[in-house]
């Protein structure tokens, strides 16, 4: 409890990002871009989840890797819980049109938890190794490394047939589709989703340097009476 109170801004921010992402991932992006239906590639959750890396990096910069790891574990617990609870709740409220089978919920929870934990802890490690270099190196390379691992772990565990022992496969995810909905050759659809997700992560990683820099500069200023 003392940890939650002392580092409440980071704990609350991480929980908010994870909860929002697990809800928004249920809603495809209803828009077109040059004839490409973005609903086939992205969900709204792709735009909120990358900010978890920003929260981790700010906690690491402010308080060091030990605190950052504890903030990550808060996010991990929220990710697992939301992966199980939010889809049935949204279905009962009529906000989504499909009900997810319990076995699929378990597999998605495993994928979400494993991806979040491994990716965020990698971000902490890379960030801490580069923190004394140029101000932008630690957050950008930490987020890049974490994003690669997060995308690989989540989409593989959630959709690849090799992980069917965790729960049933999703037939729609295993169908052939153009890469990111527009490019040849065709690939299994979950690889297309992964490519779109990773592209958004990279774009937001660059954008997140702005609030990161502003917060670090604010912390570096002396307090005035």
């Amino acid at each position: 409890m003392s940890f939650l109170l002392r580092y409440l801004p980071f704990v609350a921010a991480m929980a908010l990002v994870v909860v929002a992402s697990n809800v928004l991932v249920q809603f495809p992006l209803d828009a077109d871009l040059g004839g490409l239906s973005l609903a086939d590639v992205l969900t709204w959750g792709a735009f909120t989840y990358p900010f978890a890396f920003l929260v981790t990096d700010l906690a690491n910069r402010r308080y060091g890797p030990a605190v950052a790891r504890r903030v990550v574990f808060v996010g991990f617990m929220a990710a697992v819980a939301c992966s199980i609870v939010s889809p049935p709740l949204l279905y009962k409220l009529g906000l989504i049109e499909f009900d997810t089978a319990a076995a699929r919920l378990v597999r998605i929870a495993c994928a979400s938890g494993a991806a979040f934990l491994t990716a965020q802890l990698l971000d902490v490690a890379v960030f801490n190794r580069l923190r004394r270099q140029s101000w932008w190196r630690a957050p950008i390379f930490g987020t890049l490394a974490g994003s690669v691992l997060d995308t690989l772990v989540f989409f593989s565990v959630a959709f690849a047939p090799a992980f069917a022992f965790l729960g049933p496969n999703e037939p729609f995810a295993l169908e052939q589709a153009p890469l990111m909905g527009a490019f040849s050759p065709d690939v299994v659809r979950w690889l297309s989703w992964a490519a779109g997700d990773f592209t958004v992560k990279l774009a937001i990683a660059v954008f997140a340097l702005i609030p990161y820099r502003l917060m670090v500069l604010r912390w570096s200023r002396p307090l005035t009476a």
Side-chain angles (χ1 to χ4, degrees):
M1 181 62 70
S2 60
F3 169 80
L4 294 177
L5 293 176
R6 184 175 181 183
Y7 305 109
L8 182 60
F10 295 101
V11 171
M14 181 63 82
L16 178 62
V17 169
V18 172
V19 171
S21 299
N22 275 271
V23 171
L24 292 174
V25 76
Q26 309 296 321
F27 300 96
L29 185 60
D30 188 14
D32 294 318
L33 181 63
L36 168 64
S37 175
L38 296 180
D40 294 333
V41 183
L42 295 171
T43 69
W44 284 104
F47 295 92
T48 55
Y49 176 79
F51 286 99
F53 291 103
L54 174 62
V55 176
T56 299
D57 291 345
L58 286 172
N60 202 342
R61 175 63 71 181
R62 184 67 165 166
Y63 295 111
V67 170
R69 291 188 189 99
R70 297 179 74 178
V71 171
V72 166
F73 281 112
V74 171
F76 164 74
M77 291 185 288
V80 173
C82 285
S83 296
I84 295 175
V85 173
S86 65
L89 179 61
L90 292 173
Y91 176 73
K92 288 181 179 179
L93 293 174
L95 297 176
I96 57 176
E97 299 177 354
F98 55 89
D99 189 15
T100 306
R104 279 295 299 167
L105 288 176
V106 171
R107 183 168 174 179
I108 294 298
C110 291
S112 180
F116 183 90
L117 190 60
T118 55
Q120 297 293 328
L121 291 179
L122 178 60
D123 179 26
V124 172
V126 173
F127 184 101
N128 201 48
R129 193 172 183 85
L130 301 175
R131 66 186 302 147
R132 298 187 183 279
Q133 298 186 20
S134 300
W135 70 268
W136 56 270
R137 287 181 180 270
I140 200 67
F141 282 106
T143 300
L144 176 61
S147 295
V148 171
L149 186 59
D150 182 87
T151 300
L152 286 174
V153 172
F154 176 77
F155 285 94
S156 296
V157 174
F159 301 110
F163 291 90
F165 63 90
L166 294 174
N169 291 320
E170 173 55 58
F172 183 70
L174 299 179
E175 294 176 358
Q176 294 289 307
L179 180 62
M180 295 182 67
F183 305 106
S184 296
D186 286 359
V187 297
V188 287
R189 185 171 277 108
W190 69 267
L191 288 178
S192 181
W193 293 341
D197 178 84
F198 183 67
T199 300
V200 172
K201 283 190 176 82
L202 292 184
I204 294 182
V206 175
F207 170 79
L209 287 175
I210 299 173
Y212 174 86
R213 182 60 171 167
L214 292 175
M215 289 299 298
V216 170
L217 288 174
R218 180 180 178 184
W219 291 334
S220 66
R221 296 193 190 105
L223 296 176
T224 57

